[in-house]
Amino acid sequence: MKILALDTSCDDTSTAVVDGLKVESNVISSQVRYHKKFGGVVPFLAQRLHKERIDSVVELALKRAEIDPLRLDAIAVTVGPGLAPALEVGIQKAKTLAEKWNLPIYRVNHMAGHLASSLTQVGSRVNQVEFPVLGLLVSGGHTELVYAKKWGDFKLLGQTLDDALGEAYDKLSKMLGMGYPGGPLIAKLAEKGEASRYELPIPLKYSKDYNFSYSGLKNASRLLIETLRAESPDGVLNRAQIEDLAASFEKVAQTAIVLKVEKVLHDYPECQYLLLGGGVAANTVLRRRLRVACKPFGVKLITPLHRFLCTDNAAMIGVAAYLDYLAGKKPDKISELDRKPGLLIG
Ligand code: KG4
Ligand code: ZN
C-alpha cells in the first residue's frame, strides 16, 4: 500500500511516500534557521513558511520515490497535536490532493506517528515487535508513556505536567545564550562535562504516577546559572562550567525518565518491548541508559532505525496510517478532517 504522507505540525515541512512500513522517500524542509533568532517556533511564521514550501516538498517526495500520483493508494496527514496555524497547511494540502487524485485520506495523531517511527522500515531493516508494547515518546512538545494493547488501542499512562524533555533542553540552551534546537547542543557539551559537579533536583523522583515535570529543573538551572554568573569576575560562565552544567542537567533530566520507565516496566510485565520515539530519542546517552534499565526486565528497547525518524518527519505519519489501515480503520471523510492542536494519544 503506497501512501503519500504530510506533516506540518511544527517547524518542519515534511512529505513522504511509504510502501507499507517501508520509506520510499522522506523530504524534510526545516525552518529552524528562521525561528532560531526567536529562541523557539513562531506559529504564524511557521504557517507562512509551510505554505511557501509545501508544493515543492510534495513534488520532491514523489520524484524521489519515483512514483506517479496515480499509483498512490492513500493520503495521510497529521491533524494534531501541534501548532494550529501550521497543522492547517498540511491538512488543506492533503484535502486538495485527495480530491484531485481521488484518494482515500487518513488522519494521523502526530504522537502515534512518533510511536510508529521505531516500526518504520529503512531499506531492508525493520524492527520486529509483538504487542502489547510500551511507548516512550520524548519530543520538543511532549513527554509521554503509552501502553498499546495492539496498534491503535493506546492508553496514555503519563505525561509531562509542564515542560517537555526536549523543551527543557531547548530552554537550558537559551539560558546559556546558545542556539535552537538546544537538545543536540546540550548533549554535545554534556559529553565532555562532569555530571556530578552541580546538584540539580531529579523531577518527580518520589511521585507514584507515570508523569513527568521539567519546570522545576529549569528554574533550578536558571538559579544556578545566575549564581555562577554573579561569582564570575567577568559575569560569564567558562567552558568547563557550561559543560559540567550540561552534563549535570542531562543526568537528572534523564534519571527522571529512567525512574518512570523502570516503574512502568515493573507494572506491565506482559510488555516485552519499549518503543522509543521523538526528537530526544536521537540522544545516545538516553538510549544507553534506557537499554540498561530494560535489561533486568527482559524488555527490548526498540529505537528508530535512522536519525531522521527521531525528529519530525512524514514517513512515520505514513507508517502510522498504514498500521491504522491494517488495524481496520476506515478512511476519514474529507469534510470532517480538521486540525486538533491539543489531540492526545489514546
Ligand atoms: O520530535 P521533535 O522533532 O519535535 C516535536 O514534535 O516536538 O523533537 C524536537 C526536540 C527538540 O526539543 C530538540 O532539542 C530535541 O528534540 N532533540 C534532542 C536531541 N536531538 C533533538 N534532545 C536531546 N538530545 C538530542 N540529541
Ligand atoms: Zn514531533
Side-chain angles (χ1 to χ4, degrees), residues 58-314:
V58 167
E59 203 177 306
L60 194 55
L62 292 169
K63 191 172 163 212
R64 287 195 184 154
E66 295 178 7
I67 186 167
D68 188 298
L70 298 174
R71 281 178 45 229
L72 289 169
D73 298 300
I75 302 264
V77 63
T78 300
V79 295
L83 304 170
L87 289 164
E88 180 73 27
V89 181
I91 295 170
Q92 285 310 327
K93 181 52 62 183
K95 285 181 176 182
T96 307
L97 295 178
E99 272 172 349
K100 181 173 161 194
W101 296 326
N102 194 24
L103 290 169
I105 193 163
Y106 288 86
R107 69 181 140 164
V108 177
N109 179 318
H110 182 78
M111 299 315 289
H114 277 302
L115 195 63
S117 67
S118 53
L119 303 175
T120 300
Q121 182 179 342
V122 181
S124 58
R125 296 187 306 141
V126 63
N127 287 317
Q128 304 285 355
V129 303
E130 272 169 47
F131 286 83
V133 300
L134 289 162
L136 171 65
L137 308 175
V138 279
S139 70
H142 298 84
T143 307
E144 298 178 346
L145 271 171
V146 178
Y147 172 80
K149 195 172 174 192
K150 55 184 191 306
W151 182 264
D153 188 351
F154 305 129
K155 189 175 164 202
L156 181 61
L157 300 176
Q159 59 179 324
T160 183
L161 304 173
D162 38 60
D163 295 348
L165 177 57
E167 191 179 356
Y169 272 95
D170 294 337
K171 285 183 175 167
L172 177 65
S173 175
K174 195 174 177 184
M175 282 186 246
L176 290 169
M178 299 188 315
Y180 169 84
L185 297 169
I186 297 291
K188 188 101 194 107
L189 289 164
E191 278 173 19
K192 296 203 185 105
E194 177 52 66
S196 57
R197 176 151 176 205
Y198 301 117
E199 205 171 316
L200 290 165
I202 299 171
L204 300 188
K205 187 177 174 183
Y206 298 108
S207 81
K208 300 234 180 310
D209 52 28
Y210 302 114
N211 291 331
F212 305 93
S213 165
Y214 283 102
S215 65
L217 176 59
K218 174 184 68 186
N219 291 333
S221 305
R222 176 178 290 130
L223 286 174
L224 177 60
I225 292 169
E226 282 169 8
T227 307
L228 294 173
R229 278 187 183 144
E231 286 168 358
S232 157
D234 54 4
V236 292
L237 274 63
N238 63 40
R239 184 81 184 175
Q241 285 176 317
I242 293 175
E243 287 169 357
D244 294 346
L245 178 61
S248 304
F249 163 88
E250 178 160 84
K251 187 178 167 199
V252 298
Q254 294 186 357
T255 298
I257 299 283
V258 170
L259 288 174
K260 296 300 164 88
V261 162
E262 284 172 340
K263 181 174 164 48
V264 85
L265 295 179
H266 172 270
D267 295 349
Y268 289 85
E270 66 273 31
C271 297
Q272 301 295 299
Y273 299 91
L274 174 67
L275 275 52
L276 182 64
V280 192
N283 188 292
T284 46
V285 182
L286 180 65
R287 287 184 182 205
R288 193 165 64 232
R289 293 187 66 184
L290 288 172
R291 228 166 247 130
V292 171
C294 284
K295 206 156 180 213
F297 295 93
V299 170
K300 192 164 180 217
L301 180 71
I302 305 290
T303 54
L305 291 167
H306 198 286
R307 234 185 148 72
F308 79 81
L309 290 168
C310 294
T311 43
D312 287 346
N313 67 89

Side-chain angles (χ1 to χ4, degrees), residues 5-28:
L6 293 88
D7 184 283
T8 59
S9 58
C10 193
D11 60 344
D12 291 304
T13 315
S14 185
T15 304
V17 175
V18 299
D19 187 1
L21 297 176
K22 188 171 177 228
V23 184
E24 297 289 336
S25 68
N26 183 65
V27 181
I28 302 171

